[in-house]
Amino acid sequence: MANLKRNILAIAFVVAHISADAQMTSHDAEQAAWIQAVTSSMVYTEKLYTPKAVVVDADKNGLRAIDVNGLSDFYRNKGWKKVESLQSIGATDANVHIGYEIVTFKAGDESYTQLIIWNQKNGGPLRELEVIGRSVNQGNVTAEVLDAPRAKWIRLCNEHDPLKLVAELYTADAMYYNHKPMIVGTEAIAKEYWYMGNSSYQLSLTPIVIEMVNPDLAFEIGQCSGSYNGKYVLVWKKSADKGWQVALDSNI
């Protein structure tokens, strides 16, 4: 009973340090526990993530994947003393076990955006995949900048040439995640997309939530329709020479 009281007080303390005007996410307790972990000098993330979870750090140099063994060091090295104003931008369920969410928060003097895949199995919800990027004011840049590359993705997919699709629309070090070890690189992703070569395969993408994280980074959650009718996640990166490309793709 004493341990239970201590845990309740700890969660209450963390929630109290989230700004009063913030919209709490649908995973309030899990988010509060995550804040407590990443702002502690003894960062402890093991009970917040699935055993094979991956965190992807998206910065100006590209995406870097950190496996579950490196998560505590990753967040400890950030030296965050306080996380506040955590808000849910949007969330949707992929199925009874998997949910997608985009959240924003402040840590120190910086603002961040996270794309999270929640896994409800085995005592969840736990974080299975997390992409984090530093948020910067977009000015006049809106989500419409992704309409053309998304339309091109759909067209090339339905032309049944996954090699061309990936070569033209994915970054050289792009990642693909689907409950497996992370697949990295355009050649490996094209092989994973072998089924798109089937002449009867058709797919369309309809965005549900898009967050323009900074001028070169955007997170998208959407709905597939056609030969596959599940949800999808895309992380878009912009380069000076090739424009907006897919840096991470997931369709659990």
Side-chain angles (χ1 to χ4, degrees), residues 52-199:
K52 296 183 179 180
V54 178
V55 168
V56 177
D57 184 24
D59 62 23
K60 62 182 180 180
N61 297 316
L63 273 59
R64 177 173 65 98
I66 301 109
D67 67 22
V68 71
N69 296 316
L71 294 185
S72 291
D73 285 342
F74 172 70
Y75 279 113
R76 184 183 296 111
N77 290 339
K78 289 187 175 296
W80 291 342
K81 302 300 182 183
K82 185 177 182 180
V83 170
E84 58 186 345
S85 302
L86 192 151
Q87 303 181 60
S88 181
I89 300 301
T92 186
D93 290 332
N95 54 53
V96 296
H97 299 300
I98 299 296
Y100 298 151
E101 185 170 26
I102 296 176
V103 303
T104 61
F105 62 88
K106 291 188 67 176
D109 296 328
E110 303 288 349
S111 296
Y112 294 87
T113 303
Q114 279 183 338
L115 189 157
I116 304 168
I117 296 182
W118 294 99
N119 190 318
Q120 305 283 349
K121 294 181 180 179
N122 303 320
L126 300 173
R127 292 165 181 246
E128 178 169 335
L129 180 70
E130 176 184 297
V131 186
I132 181 169
R134 188 169 296 174
S135 307
V136 178
N137 189 290
Q138 293 297 300
N140 295 324
V141 179
T142 65
E144 282 73 20
V145 299
L146 301 177
D147 289 349
R150 187 187 310 106
K152 184 177 181 180
W153 192 103
I154 295 169
R155 176 176 61 81
L156 292 177
C157 170
N158 294 333
E159 289 176 357
H160 315 297
D161 189 347
L163 287 173
K164 184 177 181 181
L165 166 68
V166 175
E168 294 191 12
L169 273 178
Y170 284 62
T171 63
D173 56 353
M175 302 177 183
Y176 175 73
Y177 182 77
N178 189 4
H179 290 309
K180 302 174 182 178
M182 188 75 78
I183 296 170
V184 180
T186 53
E187 183 177 350
I189 294 173
K191 288 180 180 178
E192 186 72 13
Y193 280 167
W194 62 269
Y195 53 84
M196 291 183 183
N198 188 318
S199 60

Side-chain angles (χ1 to χ4, degrees), residues 9-61:
L9 288 172
I11 295 299
F13 175 82
V14 175
V15 171
H17 282 71
I18 300 175
S19 296
D21 60 350
Q23 175 190 349
M24 288 298 289
T25 73
S26 58
H27 300 91
D28 294 359
E30 290 76 23
Q31 298 288 29
W34 180 85
I35 291 171
Q36 184 181 29
V38 300
T39 55
S40 169
S41 59
M42 299 294 290
V43 179
Y44 182 74
T45 57
E46 286 82 352
K47 291 186 178 180
L48 307 177
Y49 293 82
T50 62
K52 296 183 179 180
V54 178
V55 168
V56 177
D57 184 24
D59 62 23
K60 62 182 180 180
N61 297 316

